[in-house]
């Protein structure tokens, strides 16, 4: 007879980004368009409002994974759109990523970046298994950026519980991307950034109100973004 404790609420396994896409070395010669990838969880809705509303219209495409149920992501994008110079929308499968637009992962799918030959990037949606028990997952977004944009990506991890995004931010850094983590003092929950910092995944650790200016400076140091 088994002595294993009975659990009335089985816990789903915590899968890695491997469940959605393999890690692949960035291939030189693809798109050179700059792209910004942002991940957040607990406290992230307000953090994203503060960050995105401080950015000018002249920015490269921005992809955002915020842990949020699917019934809320479209209205969240709409609220941000009303408060930002940038256009903010829920991401759609297959759409080309444009400068001056923020793409929010829909709550039912992982959001991925896919390079398109000589034409920048497009968004992909994947309704596969949760990663780190989240769908959408920050690790999935970041891995797709490491695979497809490499040194042309900028990764940002914001406030959130758990460790989703920590490994992905490290993959981005190893692929040549610049990476930022929100500092403890300005986080609602210093879980995700703390894990990323502990891995050595963050080039810089900044307070929330300093991240927008740093992104603008980073973008200015890179080749001009394509206007698709």
């Amino acid at each position: 007879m088994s002595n294993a404790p009975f659990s009335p609420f089985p816990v789903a396994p915590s899968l890695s980004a491997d469940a959605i896409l393999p890690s692949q070395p960035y291939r030189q010669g693809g798109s050179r368009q700059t792209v910004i990838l942002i991940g957040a969880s607990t406290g992230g809705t307000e953090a994203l409002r503060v960050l995105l509303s401080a950015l000018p219209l002249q920015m490269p495409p921005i992809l955002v994974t915020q842990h949020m149920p699917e019934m809320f992501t479209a209205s969240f994008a709409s609220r941000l759109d009303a408060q930002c110079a940038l256009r903010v929308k829920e991401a759609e499968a297959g759409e080309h990523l444009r400068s001056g637009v923020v793409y929010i992962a829909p709550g039912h799918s992982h959001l991925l970046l896919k390079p398109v030959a000589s034409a920048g990037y497009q968004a992909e949606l994947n309704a596969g298994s949760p990663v780190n028990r989240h769908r959408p997952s920050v690790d999935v977004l970041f891995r797709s950026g490491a695979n497809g944009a490499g040194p042309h990506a900028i990764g940002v991890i914001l406030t959130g519980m758990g460790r989703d995004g920590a490994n992905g931010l490290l993959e981005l850094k190893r692929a040549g991307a610049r990476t930022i983590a929100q500092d403890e003092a300005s986080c609602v929950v210093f879980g995700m950034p703390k894990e990323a910092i502990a891995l050595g995944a963050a080039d810089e650790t900044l307070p929330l109100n300093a991240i927008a200016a740093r992104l603008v400076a980073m973008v200015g140091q890179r080749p001009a973004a394509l206007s698709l």
Side-chain angles (χ1 to χ4, degrees), residues 139-165:
D139 266 345
V140 171
L141 174 63
F142 285 176
R143 173 170 289 184
S144 74
N147 288 355
H152 306 293
I154 300 171
V156 181
I157 192 163
L158 300 177
T159 175
M161 187 178 297
R163 59 174 295 110
D164 187 34

Side-chain angles (χ1 to χ4, degrees), residues 69-102:
E70 63 180 284
M71 67 284 291
F72 298 123
T73 46
S75 59
F76 176 57
S78 179
R79 288 196 304 273
L80 287 176
D81 185 57
Q83 300 176 62
C84 298
L86 295 157
R87 183 187 177 201
V88 184
K89 67 184 297 292
E90 194 175 48
E92 300 175 58
E95 66 179 321
H96 286 281
L97 303 184
R98 300 177 181 274
S99 300
V101 182
V102 179

Side-chain angles (χ1 to χ4, degrees), residues 92-119:
E92 300 175 58
E95 66 179 321
H96 286 281
L97 303 184
R98 300 177 181 274
S99 300
V101 182
V102 179
Y103 301 87
I104 305 291
H108 55 70
S109 296
H110 300 294
L111 174 60
L112 294 80
L113 170 151
K114 180 181 178 181
V116 179
S118 303

Side-chain angles (χ1 to χ4, degrees), residues 11-222:
V11 177
S14 183
L15 303 176
S16 75
D18 294 338
I20 303 301
L21 76 164
S23 176
Q24 299 175 337
Y26 170 73
R27 294 183 179 180
Q28 298 289 343
S31 173
R32 296 179 59 85
Q33 183 183 18
T34 300
V35 62
I36 297 172
L37 311 172
I38 302 175
S41 187
T42 311
T45 54
E46 176 62 14
L48 286 166
R49 184 195 66 78
V50 171
L51 170 56
L52 296 176
S53 65
L55 292 173
L57 180 61
Q58 295 75 27
M59 295 296 288
I62 300 173
L63 280 70
V64 175
T65 288
Q66 162 71 48
H67 296 159
M68 182 179 287
E70 63 180 284
M71 67 284 291
F72 298 123
T73 46
S75 59
F76 176 57
S78 179
R79 288 196 304 273
L80 287 176
D81 185 57
Q83 300 176 62
C84 298
L86 295 157
R87 183 187 177 201
V88 184
K89 67 184 297 292
E90 194 175 48
E92 300 175 58
E95 66 179 321
H96 286 281
L97 303 184
R98 300 177 181 274
S99 300
V101 182
V102 179
Y103 301 87
I104 305 291
H108 55 70
S109 296
H110 300 294
L111 174 60
L112 294 80
L113 170 151
K114 180 181 178 181
V116 179
S118 303
Y121 310 100
Q122 69 181 36
E124 284 195 343
L125 300 180
N126 185 304
S129 300
V131 168
N132 298 316
R133 301 194 177 96
H134 293 286
R135 186 181 60 225
S137 162
V138 182
D139 266 345
V140 171
L141 174 63
F142 285 176
R143 173 170 289 184
S144 74
N147 288 355
H152 306 293
I154 300 171
V156 181
I157 192 163
L158 300 177
T159 175
M161 187 178 297
R163 59 174 295 110
D164 187 34
N167 287 330
L169 197 73
L170 182 60
E171 291 180 9
L172 279 171
K173 181 176 180 178
R174 288 175 172 170
R178 297 293 301 275
T179 57
I180 297 172
Q182 185 179 349
D183 75 352
E184 182 175 8
S186 65
C187 281
V188 172
V189 178
F190 189 52
M192 288 162 46
K194 179 180 179 180
E195 294 289 343
I197 293 165
L199 290 176
D203 290 321
E204 302 177 55
T205 301
L206 299 173
L208 177 62
N209 62 10
I211 295 176
R214 188 69 185 112
L215 289 176
V216 171
M218 285 180 170
V219 168
Q221 295 165 4
R222 290 170 175 264

